[in-house]
Amino acid sequence: EVQLQASGGGWVQAGGSLRLSCVTSGFTFDEYAVGWFRQAPGRQHEGISCISSADRSTYYADSVKGRFTISRDNSKSTLYLQMNSLRPEDTAFYYCAARETSDSRRFYLKPQEYDYWGQGTLVTVSS
C-alpha cells in the first residue's frame, strides 16, 4: 500500500520557521519525483516546490523562492521542506506528492502529473 505521511505543520509567528517531512512507503522512493503543494481556503492547489528523483533538479515557485528549501533522503524514503521567513500568506494546508519517472533529472509542476498524495499538514502563520 502506498502511503505518504506529511507532518511538521503548526502555528508560527511571521518570520519563524517550520520543517515539513513526508515519510513515504509502498513504492521505490528513488524512482519517483516528489513535490510540495499547498492549498489555502478558497484557493486552488499551488505547486510550491518539487525535486527530481535523483536530487539533481529543483523548482521553487516565486512566492517561496529564497525562503523554502526542498530536499529528499532516498535512504529514508522521506521528503522535506524547510520553510524560513514565514509570512501570513504562507498559511495553508501543505501536501506532498509523488510520481514515478524514468527521467532522474526531471521534476513536475502540475498537480495532475502526480500519482500519489499525502493527507496534508496545516501551517498557520500569524502576523
Side-chain angles (χ1 to χ4, degrees):
E1 180 185 5
V2 171
Q3 290 190 335
L4 289 81
Q5 184 71 38
S7 63
W11 179 89
V12 65
Q13 287 189 322
S17 298
L18 286 172
R19 188 192 194 204
L20 304 185
S21 299
C22 177
V23 178
T24 73
S25 62
F27 61 96
T28 306
F29 184 69
D30 59 6
E31 294 179 358
Y32 280 66
V34 287
W36 289 97
F37 293 77
R38 67 185 180 188
Q39 187 170 26
R43 303 188 67 176
Q44 292 185 333
H45 267 94
E46 176 189 10
I48 57 172
S49 187
C50 45
I51 188 169
S52 64
S53 61
D55 198 17
R56 297 175 186 177
S57 302
T58 57
Y59 162 82
Y60 296 94
D62 288 342
S63 57
V64 306
K65 195 174 296 181
R67 300 187 298 123
F68 291 10
T69 302
I70 191 171
S71 62
R72 62 188 293 163
D73 186 336
N74 286 351
S75 68
K76 297 181 179 179
S77 299
T78 300
L79 173 68
Y80 302 98
L81 185 69
Q82 178 66 43
M83 306 187 296
N84 299 328
S85 302
L86 283 162
R87 304 167 179 168
E89 54 264 39
D90 295 319
T91 295
F93 278 97
Y94 284 71
Y95 300 87
C96 54
R99 70 151 286 158
E100 190 172 15
T101 179
S102 58
D103 186 344
S104 63
R105 297 165 296 178
R106 186 177 175 183
F107 52 78
Y108 300 85
L109 306 178
K110 300 177 182 178
Q112 58 267 36
E113 294 179 304
Y114 285 81
D115 301 317
Y116 304 116
W117 291 82
Q119 84 289 0
T121 184
L122 178 61
V123 172
T124 303
V125 184
S126 65
S127 58

